[in-house]
Structure formats: structure tokens, C-alpha cells
Amino acid sequence: TTNNGVTWSPIFDAAAPTLSIGDMAIAPSDPLVIWAGTGEAIGEQQPASLGNGVYRSLDGGETWDYMGLRETRFIHRVVVHPTNPDIVFVASPGHRWGPNEERGLYRTRDGGKTWEKVLYPGENTGVVEVAMEDNGRVLYAASWQRRRSAWGNLTGGPQSRIYRSMDGGTTWTELGGGLPDGNLGKTAIAIAGSSPNIVYAAIGGEDGGLY
């Protein structure tokens, strides 16, 4: 929309062979740069439309370029650096049926030409959340242990945890300090922009809650 929501136009229908968008982000330093991660970011009790990676627009959504990460299938969060639109983080829970190495948190520092997996909790545990402070250096991420099978649906476990990076996403430390242990579910994280020491985590599962 370009008129405060009075009318809307689809801008991604012809861009990719996928029916769903899991998350999108506009570069804070350049509103014409938009990143879109494909694949439904929904609950686990119903079928979900697969994605085929991440896309970028440099002209406010008029045209889109494919930027890789095809085998992630589902992307739950996209975060762009506050001052450098070429630095982007993509969080993926990975395939639902069976283990796969494409789960995890990915980072590009060259606008999507190359990607590196900076956080990989395991073949059955992906990353569903990443939040960045305004300085672009401190980040928080949440892993989610999940696995579907013909006889059951695992939507939590002991590998669902919260991590922090103090160096722009290169190294990560698992956090404790009062966070729950046990079998946790999906987690959402929010940072208070004006007070970055204040962070909230909504943690799913029997031992979860709002922290």
C-alpha cells in the first residue's frame, strides 16, 4: 500500500514458485531494500506450505531477486542490520519430517551472495527467532527442537534454548540466569529499543512463560 492502507496491491505473486511468506524485513538504513523469507511460519498441527529460500528487493518490492537458502523450506525470522543493509540474519527451524542440516541461523555480510550458518543447535533443532540491538552487535536467538513423524509430533524439547551473541553473530552463548530448564517450546524475543538491557522472552511449553 502507498496510501495508508486504503488500497493494496500484491507484489510477490510472480516472484517465486511458493505460496507463502514466513517473515520479511525492511532495511532500517534504506526503505527500498526488502528481504522476504518463504515458507509458512505457523503452528505444527496442520499442513504447511513449503518455501524455497530468501528473496531481496532493491526497489521497494517492484522486482525481486532470489538469494539462496533453498533447503531451509521454512523461514521464521529475518533481521537486517541497522546501518548496513548487506548484513542479514535468517532463522530457520528446518524440515519438519526427519533430521536435516539446513536448520539454524544464517548470516550474510555481502547482501546474500554468500551465507554462513552461525548457530546450529542440532539436526532436530532449528532457530525460530533472532533479535538485534540497535547497535547491530548484540543479538539474541531462540532455538526450537521439533520433529514430525507418522506417529507423533514433537514440538519442544531440552534443546529449545535462548542464546546471545556479543560480536555481531559470530559466536554464541547459551543463557540461563533464571530462564527455565526442561522441555521448552517455541520462543519469541523482544528487545526494548531505548533500553537494550531489557529483553523479553515468551517461551512455549509446560515449563515456559513470559520472562
Side-chain angles (χ1 to χ4, degrees), residues 5 8 23-24 28 40-42 91 104 107 111-112 114 123 125 148 153 158 178 182 191 195 205:
W8 295 82
D23 194 31
M24 58 162 288
E40 287 189 59
I42 61 172
R107 178 182 66 183
T114 60
E123 64 180 10
T125 305
R148 292 207 69 169
N153 184 23
I191 302 172
S195 303

Side-chain angles (χ1 to χ4, degrees), residues 53-92:
V54 65
Y55 290 78
R56 182 186 66 178
S57 175
L58 298 177
D59 54 13
E62 295 294 332
T63 61
W64 296 87
D65 295 314
Y66 176 65
M67 307 308 294
L69 301 182
R70 184 179 303 276
E71 289 303 315
T72 55
R73 295 191 184 179
F74 300 97
I75 292 175
H76 279 207
R77 187 70 70 231
V78 180
V79 170
V80 185
H81 190 279
T83 60
N84 186 345
D86 285 337
I87 299 178
V88 183
F89 290 84
V90 172
S92 173

Side-chain angles (χ1 to χ4, degrees), residues 102-185:
E102 285 75 23
R103 306 174 190 268
L105 179 64
Y106 292 84
R107 178 182 66 183
T108 180
R109 292 187 282 190
D110 54 16
K113 295 177 182 178
T114 60
W115 294 89
E116 54 184 328
K117 187 161 53 177
V118 294
L119 181 59
Y120 176 59
E123 64 180 10
N124 293 311
T125 305
V127 176
V128 292
E129 180 70 290
V130 58
M132 180 186 294
E133 288 189 8
D134 291 341
N135 57 27
R137 180 179 58 86
V138 179
L139 297 97
Y140 297 84
S143 61
W144 185 25
Q145 185 175 356
R146 70 167 191 173
R147 176 82 175 269
R148 292 207 69 169
S149 64
W151 58 86
N153 184 23
L154 176 66
T155 59
Q159 293 182 0
S160 298
R161 292 292 179 258
I162 296 177
Y163 298 84
R164 182 182 64 186
S165 174
M166 303 290 287
D167 56 8
T170 300
T171 60
W172 295 84
T173 302
E174 182 179 329
L175 298 182
L179 290 172
D181 295 321
N183 297 323
L184 305 179

